[in-house]
Amino acid sequence: MLNLLEELEQRAAQELEGVNQVKELESWRVRYLGKKSQLTKLLRSLATLPLEQRKAVGAFANQVKAKLEDGLKQKGQVLRETQLVTTIKEKHIDITLPGRPFPVGRLHPITQTLHEICDIFVSMGFQVMEGPEVEWDYYNFEALNIPKHHPARDMMATLWVDVENESGERTMLLRTHNTSQDVRVMEKMSPPIRVVIPGKVYRYEASDATHTPVFYQIDGLAVDKGITMAELKGTLYEFARRFFGEDRKVRFRCDYFPFVEPGVEMAIECSVCGGAGCRLCGNTGWIEILGAGMTHPQVLRRVGLDPEVYTSFAFGMGIDRLPMLRYGIDDTRLFYGSDLRFLRQF
Ligand code: DAH
């Protein structure tokens, strides 16, 4: 009996040595110290032994049990410690490491330019307004002195929406310019009015390096008593100074737009050649950036304003040109191409 116990103790000790996982330790415990283990059975059967033998074997068996329990406790502790160390090693977070970068979106260069332009005009007392891109012929053309069959319609090849009036004439279109908002604004607000209108416009044109069928414009409108051409020029000079820099030269020349009288175009000195003449400016040294003028009396009358009392100036510019000039980009299609390698630069 004693031999059996000794043997059992040795075997248990040996096996315990080989245990290196918490799970294995548990099955070791069940095997040697569990209810159905040899040792437990033996301890239970002590009662059947004669007294002398029972004392000797009982004492020894309890010793063995105590040793095994001790071994179990120690091993348990060792295993738990090593496990903790590996967990810390595997899962620890080094808070001194820099964060993982993740891709962040950014504003499109055209949007950035629009924001910048709006900020400049807002600081001069203008408010920003937007309007519908699908527009009535009336606001885009008629109300701006461009009746049906007027030659000025040819300047803006129009994309029509399939909506006709009783006489079979198309009445709805994709706005060809933001000037279409001017009459809407004057119908809604009363003077003094100072607004800028940024947004998309559409023209039925093939794309090339300087044209796309969809592009952005910003229009401006000021209506009040006593507004003169001097206010128009002053406002646009100030804008050019702030957007292009203090010493960029600006030029005004006469131009014709049916909704203004007089009408002008404003050009700035070419940023690429500094006025000497190059491909971008068509060898003129100047780049036209906007059309402007004093709102036509007929347009004012149409919204119930007396042109003897109220005067108004208006301007409109395509804004794609501006980042092109600033960054020396020679193809406007790049802005609409969704090529992230290009767009990420801004
Ligand atoms: N709407 C014109 C265009 O798209 C630009 C323009 C010219 C706007 C003169 C104006 C203006 O307000 O007065 O070509």
Side-chain angles (χ1 to χ4, degrees):
M1 195 70 99
L2 292 178
N3 284 351
L4 192 77
L5 277 169
E6 246 169 48
E7 205 186 297
L8 185 77
E9 191 198 330
Q10 262 173 23
R11 193 153 28 97
Q14 237 170 34
E15 271 181 38
L16 188 62
E17 206 136 301
V19 166
N20 47 27
Q21 272 187 14
V22 178
K23 252 199 234 151
E24 286 172 27
L25 186 64
E26 176 57 12
S27 58
W28 180 91
R29 187 194 64 78
V30 173
R31 217 165 333 122
Y32 291 102
L33 292 166
K35 275 186 201 144
K36 291 178 184 162
S37 68
Q38 226 179 338
L39 185 63
T40 311
K41 281 183 194 154
L42 192 138
L43 282 166
R44 259 193 227 129
S45 67
L46 282 178
T48 59
L49 294 178
L51 188 65
E52 275 311 298
Q53 220 179 341
R54 197 192 306 169
K55 264 192 189 165
V57 176
F60 190 61
N62 276 323
Q63 254 176 28
V64 170
K65 189 179 179 195
K67 272 192 207 159
L68 294 189
E69 277 171 352
D70 208 34
L72 174 74
K73 211 165 120 193
Q74 275 175 21
K75 189 75 180 190
Q77 206 163 353
V78 170
L79 287 184
R80 272 191 298 277
E81 267 166 30
T82 36
Q83 198 174 38
L84 187 67
V85 171
T86 39
T87 317
I88 290 174
K89 258 198 208 143
E90 277 168 12
K91 300 207 176 141
H92 84 294
I93 296 166
D94 183 350
I95 55 162
T96 65
L97 282 175
R100 285 195 196 107
F102 52 91
V104 186
R106 66 193 71 208
L107 294 178
H108 191 281
I110 300 275
T111 311
Q112 287 179 29
T113 309
L114 267 181
H115 285 183
E116 201 181 324
I117 296 172
C118 286
D119 285 350
I120 293 174
F121 283 108
V122 165
S123 77
M124 290 196 263
F126 285 75
Q127 83 186 79
V128 180
M129 286 188 82
E130 283 174 312
E133 288 173 23
V134 178
E135 186 55 281
W136 296 109
D137 179 290
Y138 176 75
Y139 290 110
N140 196 85
F141 290 131
E142 295 272 342
L144 297 173
N145 299 339
I146 315 175
K148 301 241 155 23
H149 312 299
H150 190 287
R153 290 204 178 203
D154 296 344
M155 286 164 29
M156 302 178 184
T158 308
L159 287 155
W160 294 93
V161 176
D162 245 346
V163 175
E164 289 177 357
N165 61 14
E166 306 88 63
S167 349
E169 292 163 332
R170 289 174 299 190
T171 50
M172 202 179 252
L173 44 78
L174 297 183
R175 68 179 177 200
T176 59
H177 57 173
N178 280 349
T179 319
S180 59
Q181 270 296 292
D182 287 9
V183 167
R184 281 183 177 277
V185 167
M186 288 189 283
E187 280 175 352
K188 264 186 289 197
M189 299 166 68
S190 33
I193 297 171
R194 279 166 189 74
V195 294
V196 282
I197 306 138
K200 263 187 218 145
V201 300
Y202 301 80
R203 294 200 189 162
Y204 186 51
E205 278 174 358
S207 23
D208 62 27
T210 49
H211 295 90
T212 47
V214 185
F215 57 100
Y216 283 82
Q217 283 191 336
I218 184 162
D219 266 63
L221 177 72
V223 190
D224 204 352
K225 286 180 184 155
I227 286 197
T228 68
M229 193 83 184
E231 268 89 40
L232 169 62
K233 285 180 82 175
T235 305
L236 293 177
Y237 266 131
E238 180 61 12
F239 162 73
R241 210 177 56 78
R242 293 224 216 145
F243 190 85
F244 295 103
E246 296 278 333
D247 27 62
R248 184 68 69 84
K249 286 204 189 101
V250 171
R251 179 187 78 181
F252 283 92
R253 292 206 304 192
C254 290
D255 204 344
Y256 168 72
F257 302 97
F259 36 90
V260 285
E261 183 56 37
V264 292
E265 55 137 75
M266 186 177 100
I268 56 156
E269 201 176 44
C270 178
S271 61
V272 175
C273 60
C278 68
R279 210 168 62 107
L280 187 72
C281 58
N283 278 320
T284 61
W286 294 95
I287 291 176
E288 223 181 275
I289 60 161
L290 59 84
M294 300 304 293
T295 306
H296 199 287
Q298 194 57 35
V299 176
L300 295 176
R301 269 186 223 115
R302 215 166 264 130
V303 291
L305 292 174
D306 180 354
E308 297 299 324
V309 181
Y310 290 101
T311 47
S312 156
F313 72 69
F315 61 88
M317 64 182 135
I319 81 122
D320 307 38
R321 282 246 179 120
L322 307 186
M324 283 172 87
L325 286 172
R326 187 179 267 182
Y327 302 115
I329 295 158
D330 59 5
D331 195 331
T332 181
R333 285 169 294 189
L334 286 166
F335 289 128
Y336 301 104
S338 308
D339 185 340
L340 289 179
R341 290 169 307 174
F342 171 76
L343 295 173
R344 277 206 184 107
Q345 301 175 92
F346 302 98

